[in-house]
């Protein structure tokens, strides 16, 4: 009789120790925070994106809240280049 798989046991052990389970960390954004801070950060990120969806583009962006900030910045530069008919290669930060 197997009550808990080894994966589930590893998750339970990490939760008990206040750590982000490896199974979750493999699918999530990189972070060195302990479990409680990691969950608070995740909730804040989800709230940011939910507000963006419900209220439209924010006036400012929480850059560190993105999983892959370079893709957001590249997309922003592409939008600017298209809007102003400028080659994206000529844009700088």
């Amino acid at each position: 009789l197997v009550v808990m798989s080894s994966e589930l046991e590893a998750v339970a052990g990490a939760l008990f120790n206040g750590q982000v389970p490896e199974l979750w960390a493999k699918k999530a954004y990189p972070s060195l925070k302990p479990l409680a801070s990691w969950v608070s950060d995740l909730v804040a990120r989800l709230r940011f994106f939910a507000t963006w969806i419900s209220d439209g583009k924010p006036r400012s962006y929480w850059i560190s809240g993105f999983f892959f900030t370079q893709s957001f910045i590249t997309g922003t530069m592409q939008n600017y280049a298209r809007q102003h008919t400028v080659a994206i290669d000529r844009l700088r930060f």
Side-chain angles (χ1 to χ4, degrees):
L1 175 68
V2 176
V3 179
M4 215 184 319
S5 69
S6 59
E7 269 187 342
L8 190 55
E9 190 171 344
V11 168
L15 294 175
F16 180 77
N17 293 324
Q19 300 168 332
V20 178
E22 186 64 29
L23 188 65
W24 296 2
K26 287 180 185 177
K27 304 289 183 189
Y29 53 91
S31 177
L32 298 175
K33 294 181 178 187
L35 181 62
S37 300
W38 186 85
V39 169
S40 296
D41 187 57
L42 176 63
V43 169
R45 288 169 187 251
L46 294 174
R47 189 175 301 120
F48 170 71
F49 290 118
T51 303
W52 188 353
I53 291 168
S54 65
D55 299 345
K57 292 183 202 174
R59 292 183 63 139
S60 61
Y61 294 89
W62 178 28
I63 295 293
S64 61
F66 292 111
F67 179 81
F68 187 55
T69 55
Q70 289 172 307
S71 64
F72 175 76
I73 293 170
T74 299
T76 303
M77 289 174 64
Q78 286 174 334
N79 286 339
Y80 180 88
R82 288 180 186 136
Q83 185 178 5
H84 297 281
T85 58
V86 177
I88 193 167
D89 298 341
R90 304 195 86 198
L91 298 179
R92 301 272 181 246
F93 289 107

